[in-house]
Amino acid sequence: MDYIFVSHMESDEYGGIRIFLERYPDAKVICSRLASRELPGLGVECDCVAADGDTVIEEGDISLKTITYPCEVHLQDGIIAYEQNSGILYSSDLMQSPGDGRDTVEECGYLPRAESISPVRIPNEKGLEDTKRKLASVSPRFVAVGHGFCFVNADIM
C-alpha cells in the first residue's frame, strides 16, 4: 500500500495532492481528522486515514506513529509522523530552518531543536508545552522538515 502524508491544511502541505493521487490512485492519505473533513470540501476525493495522537499505522516494515499538535491554521490539529522502524520524524513546519535546504543535511541535536520551538510556531502556552513533551517521547535518527534543512540527530550518532 502507498501512503501520502498531509501534515495540516495549508496549501504548501496539501496543494500537490491531486498530482500524487493521479500517479498513485490507490494511495491512502494519512492526515488529521480535520483534514479528512476538509479535503473533500476542496474537491479532493481520496481514501483518508484520519489520524490523531493515538494512531499507529503498521503495514509490512512500516510502523508509523502520529502525533497531534496545534498547527498554524488557527491552532487546529495537525499531525507529525514518526516512522518507528527507520527512526524518521516528519516534523511538518515545527522544526523548519531558514535557507535553501536542497542537497544539504545538517547534523544537530534533536532535543535542543525540539525544545527551541517557539511561540511563533505554536502561540498557545499549553499547546506548545504539550507538543514539546510529545516530541521528547521519540528519538529520531533523521528529521525530515517541512521547509529548510533536514537533519541527522547528532544526539544518537
Side-chain angles (χ1 to χ4, degrees):
M1 172 59 61
D2 293 313
Y3 293 96
I4 300 168
F5 173 63
V6 174
S7 60
H8 60 280
M9 292 303 298
E10 285 187 326
S11 61
D12 61 329
E13 276 71 36
Y14 75 85
I17 195 167
R18 285 185 183 90
I19 295 167
F20 286 106
L21 288 169
E22 285 174 14
R23 176 78 165 91
Y24 304 99
D26 296 327
K28 291 185 178 184
V29 176
I30 301 169
C31 58
S32 69
R33 294 189 186 285
L34 170 68
S36 73
R37 295 188 305 270
E38 294 282 329
L39 288 170
L42 297 168
V44 176
E45 297 300 323
C46 58
D47 185 4
C48 286
V49 177
D52 58 29
D54 297 322
T55 302
V56 175
I57 298 162
E58 293 187 330
E59 184 174 317
D61 292 340
I62 294 173
S63 179
L64 192 73
K65 173 184 178 178
T66 61
I67 299 168
T68 56
Y69 76 103
C71 69
E72 296 82 357
V73 184
H74 309 293
L75 296 177
Q76 298 177 37
D77 281 345
I79 57 173
I80 59 177
Y82 178 56
E83 205 299 300
Q84 299 176 104
N85 294 328
S86 66
I88 298 173
L89 177 70
Y90 300 91
S91 72
S92 181
D93 291 347
L94 286 176
M95 295 185 190
Q96 68 184 6
S97 58
D100 181 356
R102 287 180 288 184
D103 301 321
T104 304
V105 174
E106 293 183 329
E107 198 175 294
C108 66
Y110 166 74
L111 286 175
R113 187 88 170 256
E115 278 298 317
S116 73
I117 297 170
S118 75
V120 170
R121 290 275 157 250
I122 303 176
N124 173 284
E125 188 175 339
K126 181 181 181 325
L128 179 59
E129 292 309 312
D130 286 349
T131 300
K132 288 180 179 183
R133 180 185 45 76
K134 292 173 190 176
L135 290 172
S137 74
V138 299
S139 185
R141 288 192 277 277
F142 184 85
V143 178
V145 301
H147 305 279
F149 299 93
C150 295
F151 65 95
V152 173
N153 183 0
D155 295 337
I156 60 173
M157 293 184 68

